[in-house]
Structures are given as structure tokens and as C-alpha cells.
Amino acid sequence: MLIFKDEDWDNKIKKEDISVVQYSAIWCSPCQSLKPIMAAFSEKYKEKANFYYADVEEGALNHGASMGIRGVPSTIVFHKGQEIDRLVGNPGEAKVKEFLDKNI
């Protein structure tokens, strides 16, 4: 997974066919348990999508707010910067796989 910074929105996300961004915070335990799950899926789907980890209190502060992130973790799938779907929380590996399979 790549570390997302606010400037990546214009430089990367808006130009990529499929991007998956996990909005999280370092203090959030569900976020931390989701991170290795997303890292594993980033390897599985590396030919289909780019995966990013966005800390809403550090490098992704402005973008997280502009995306209306109210709870973390929130995972959003984008197509050229347009939101396709959103998953809030950490429902477990099986549900995350289902979400990704549906949207990638």
C-alpha cells in the first residue's frame, strides 16, 4: 500500500482507472487491524488497482475532510477521482473481499 498525501489526489487518484483509499488514524484500533488486510489485498489486486493508506490526521488531513470522512476506517474506491463505493468500518476480511470484488 502506498502512503497517501493530499497532493496525491491531483497527481495520482484523478488519473488512475481504479484507486482504493483507506482513510484511517493511528489511534484507531479497527483501522490498524484493517491495514494488514488491505495490504494483502493490494498485492492480490495489484494489476487492477492502486491501494493507498491515508492518515486523516497527518498527510491526508485536508482530503479526508473534503471527502466527508466522519468515521474511520473508511475505504473508498475511486475511478479517475470519482467515488464508486464506500465501506465504513472494519467488517472483517470476507466482507472487505466482497466489497473489493464488487467494485474493482
Side-chain angles (χ1 to χ4, degrees), residues 51-94:
F51 283 68
Y52 297 88
Y53 178 84
D55 190 314
V56 296
E57 293 187 342
E58 290 189 13
L61 179 65
N62 295 325
H63 185 70
S66 71
M67 290 307 302
I69 302 300
R70 292 184 179 88
V72 289
S74 289
T75 304
I76 303 178
V77 178
F78 296 98
H79 170 70
K80 298 214 182 269
Q82 295 296 313
E83 183 174 334
I84 296 173
D85 203 356
R86 181 182 297 222
L87 177 69
V88 178
N90 179 1
E93 187 172 346

Side-chain angles (χ1 to χ4, degrees), residues 15-33:
K15 297 176 182 176
E16 296 174 353
D17 283 333
I18 301 291
S19 306
V20 180
V21 183
Q22 177 191 341
Y23 294 91
S24 298
I26 194 75
W27 49 262
C28 166
S29 61
C31 299
Q32 297 311 310
S33 63

